[in-house]
Amino acid sequence: MIRLENGTRTESMDRRYMPWILWLLVLTAVTAGMVALRSTLIEAHVALAYLLVVLGGSSRHGGKIGIALAALAFLCFDWFFLPPFNTLTVAKPVDWIVLVAFLLTSVVAAQVFEKARSEASTARERVRELDHLASLGAETLNAGRAEDALVAISMVIRSALSLDGCAIYSAENEAVDVMCDVSETPSSDSPDSDQWHAHIETAAHSNAAVALGINGAVERFTIPAPASDAPWPAASDFVRLAIPLAIRERTVGVLTIERRAGIRLSPDQWRFLAALSYYAALGVERVRLVATAQSADALREASRLKDAVIASVSHDLRTPLTTIKALAAEIVADGDDRALTIEEETDRLNSMVADMLDIGRINSGTVSVNPEPNEAEDLVGAALQRIQGRSKGRAIRVSLESGEPLLIGRFDYTHTLRALVNLLENALKYSPDSEPVDLCVRREDAWLVFSVLDRGDGIAPADRARIFEPFYRGRGPSPDAGGSGLGLSIAHALAKAQGCSLVYEPRDRGGSVFSLRVPAVDLEELSRS
Amino acid sequence: MPDRTVLVIDDEPQIRRVVRNALSDDSTQVLEASAAAEGIDLVASRRPDLVVLDLGLPDVPGIDACRDIRRFSAVPIIVLSARHSDSDKVALLDAGADDYMTKPFSTRELQARVRAHLRRVAEVGASGTTTVEKDGITIDLLKPSLTRDGVPVHLTRTEWDLVRVLAKHAGRTLTHQQIFKAVWGNSYRDAQQNLRVHIRSLRRKIEPDPVRPTLIVTEPGVGYRLEYP
C-alpha cells in the first residue's frame, strides 16, 4: 500500500541505536586488533582498514553513521597509530597529509553512499507506488461493468486521500452528467448543487481545474507538477475541486473531490490523484465506448430488421401485383381492352414500390457498391433496352464520341444503369412528345460524362437546389402525377454512393441537362492492371 | 394426350394459378407442386419439359432446389423471383437455372420465354446450338462461319470464342463468370474487363446498331445473352 499519510516511522529505540552500537564495536575491534600488531603495520594498512569500516557502516546504515565512524576513525588513527602514540599530536608533518586525506576520503565515500542509498530508497518507493497503481488500474478497469470501475476508482480516491466526497462526471459534447458519486452527501443533494454543477461544466469546457473555497470563492488553476516537497495549497481553504479528465487532450469527463476541512495534498498525493484521474478518464471513456458499441449493435440489428422487412414487403406486394397483372392480361386476351389500363397501373404501382424500397435501402446505407471498369456503349445499350417499354415510341437520340479511344469508366454497372434510366424517364416525362430526348456520352479530362438533355420547361432557379430531394416536385405543372417523385433522388443517391456526381444545368434554348459524371479509365491503364 | 408438361413449383396458389392459366392449353399440361421436395420428386418421376421455380419456397432455398434438379436433369428451369439483387441472379444462373423473371412479370413475357426454351430444347437437344440465324446474321459453329447478309464477317480469335460460347447456349443468359471461364479459362485475370471491350467490338461487327443491340443482349449486372431467334 502506498504511504500517503505523512506520519513518522515508529521504530523502537533498540532498533534505532543497534547499528551505532554494532559499528562502534566493529571499530573498537578493528582498532584493538591493529594496536596489537602496531609494530608490523604501516599507515596505509591502518587507513585502508578504517576506510573499510567507514564504507561498511555507511553502506549499511547511511551517511550519518559513516561520517561518525569517519570522525572516530580519524581520532583513533591519530591516537593509536601516528607517533607519538597515545597523543593527538603528530610528529611528522607528512602524517597530517595522511590523516586529512583519510578523513576526506571517508567523508566523501560516506556521502556518496548516503546519496545512492536515498535514491535507491526513493526508487523502491516509486516502484511500490507504480506497482500499486498498476494493479489498482488493472483491477478497476477489469471491473465487470464499466460503471463499476468508476465506483471503484472514486472509492479508492476518497479513502486514500481521506476525503468527504468524490464523484466522476462524463462530458460529451455540451452535456455533463454524473456517472458515480461516492460522497457522504452527494453533491446533487447539497443546496448549491446547481452552482456547483455549473463549475463542473466550466471545468469540462475550459479544461482547467476549478476550486471552490470555504467562503464560496471560485478559482481556476492548473494542477501543480509534483516538484516541491511541500503540501499544496499551502494554506488551504478549498473545499471542492473539479478536475477535468482528459485522454489525449480530449476532455472526456470531470473528477470532483470534496473535503470540508479544506483540501491540502502532499506532492505524493497529487501524483496519486493525477494517476487515478487518468484511470477515471479511461473508465469514463470505456463507459462511453460500451454505450457506443451497444448502440452500434442496435443499429445493426435495426438495419437487419429493415432488410428483412424490405424483403418481405417486396415479396408480399409483388405476389398480388403479379396476380393482378396476370388476370388483367387474361381479360385483355378475352377482348376487353379496358384491362390494359389495369396492367399499366400495376406496372406503375410496381415501379413505385421498387422506388420506395430502393430509397429506403439507399438511405439506410445498405446498398453495396461494386465499381469496376465498364464500357459506356454497353451501359447506354442496356439503358435504352430497359426504357424501351416505357418510352412509347418517343425518340431518344444517342451521340457517343465513337471510335478510339474506348469510352470506359469505373462505375457500378447496375446502379449507374438505374440512375441513367431514371434520368431518361424523367426527361421523357417532362418534355413534349414531339421533342426527342438526347443522350450524349463524352470524355472530359478524367471524367466520363453521360448527359441527358430534354426540351421541357426546365427547372426554375428557386427549385434547383432541391430537385434531388425525395418527393420534391417543382412548382411547374406536373405532367404525370403517377410517378413516385423519387426518380431523380434515387439517381442522385446512387451516383453519390459510388463517388460520382449528378448535376443539373439549364439547357440553351430551353430544357434541362442532367449530367452524370463517372471516373474515366484509359484502355492502356486497363490492360496494365 | 398433351405434347409436353410444364411443372410449376410455388407455395403461393395464386402464382401457380397465374402460371397454369398462362401456359396450359391443348398441347401443354401444367403440373403443380407447393414445395421444393415435392417438386424435385415430380421432376424425377414425371420428367417435365420445363420447370417454373419460385425462389422463395418455404422448405428449401430456391437456389438449392435448382442445384438439386440439375444433379439429375437438364430440364430448362425458369426462376421466378421477387427479389432482384444481381448477386441472387448470378448465383441462380451459376446454379444451373436457364432464365429468371422478376415479379410481377407479364404473362406474355412468360409465355414467350417458355416457348423459346421449349423450342430450343426441342431443336438442339442437350448438345447445344450449332447454328443461329437472326436479323440477317448466320452463325454456323460447325463450319465455323459468321455471315452478315451472306457476306462473311471477319472475327478475331477471341471474338470467335465469345460467339461460340454465346451461340452454343443461345437464349440463355450466361454470367460474366461463365463466359470468361469458357473463353479465357481461369488463369486470365483481367478477363472480366476485357470481356466488355470484346463484346463492344463484336457488337460493332454484327449488330445493325451497336448502341441498340438485338443479338447480343446485356443482362445488367449478370452477363450476356445471344438471343435465340
Side-chain angles (χ1 to χ4, degrees), chain A residues 334-353:
Chain A
D334 287 349
D336 192 339
D337 282 348
R338 284 177 303 175
L340 271 176
T341 313
I342 301 181
E343 256 199 290
E344 284 168 15
E345 291 300 305
T346 315
D347 286 340
R348 202 150 83 175
L349 200 56
N350 177 51
S351 79
M352 280 172 73
V353 167

Side-chain angles (χ1 to χ4, degrees), chain A residues 314-315 318-319 321-323 325-327 329-330 343 350 358 361 372-375 377-378 380-382 384-386 396 398 400 402-404 406 408 413-414 417 523 526-527 529, chain B residues 11-12 14-15 17-18 21-22 54 56 82-84 86 89 102-108 190 192-194 196-197 199-200 203-204 210-213 217-221 224-225:
Chain A
S314 145
H315 179 261
R318 290 208 163 106
T319 300
L321 283 175
T322 309
T323 317
K325 194 173 152 96
L327 287 176
E330 282 173 33
E343 256 199 290
N350 177 51
D358 278 353
R361 246 193 299 248
E372 52 182 14
N374 282 295
E375 206 267 312
E377 200 171 277
D378 194 17
V380 169
L384 293 176
Q385 182 190 331
R386 190 162 278 193
I396 298 176
V398 177
L400 267 154
S402 54
E404 305 300 332
L406 283 170
I408 299 174
Y413 192 92
T414 326
L417 175 64
L523 194 59
L526 196 62
S527 48
S529 61
Chain B
D11 58 319
E12 305 270 1
Q14 310 94 296
I15 301 289
R17 206 192 107 167
V18 165
N21 286 355
D54 193 307
R83 270 165 271 166
H84 54 287
D86 296 335
K89 294 173 188 166
T102 306
K103 293 181 195 170
F105 49 85
S106 107
T107 312
R108 285 177 291 278
D190 24 328
Q192 178 130 22
Q193 279 100 50
N194 277 342
R196 298 170 212 278
V197 176
I199 289 279
R200 175 188 181 265
R203 275 180 178 154
R204 296 220 156 174
V211 181
R212 291 174 169 80
V217 179
T218 304
E219 276 296 338
Y224 295 97
R225 179 175 68 240

Side-chain angles (χ1 to χ4, degrees), chain A residues 83 156 520:
Chain A
V156 168

Side-chain angles (χ1 to χ4, degrees), chain A residues 23-38 41-59 65-82 85-86 88 98-99 101-107 109-110 113:
Chain A
W23 284 99
L24 269 179
L25 287 176
V26 171
L27 186 69
T28 315
V30 169
T31 309
M34 286 195 299
V35 168
L37 301 170
R38 188 156 63 187
L41 293 176
I42 59 164
E43 283 146 12
H45 295 148
V46 179
L48 274 176
Y50 278 138
L51 201 54
L52 277 177
V53 173
V54 171
L55 291 182
S58 48
S59 76
I65 287 187
I67 288 170
L69 285 173
L72 283 175
F74 170 78
L75 293 176
C76 294
F77 198 168
D78 188 0
W79 188 271
F80 294 112
F81 301 102
L82 291 181
F85 296 139
N86 302 331
L88 284 181
V98 174
L99 264 181
F102 167 75
L103 187 64
L104 280 177
T105 313
S106 308
V107 169
F113 266 110

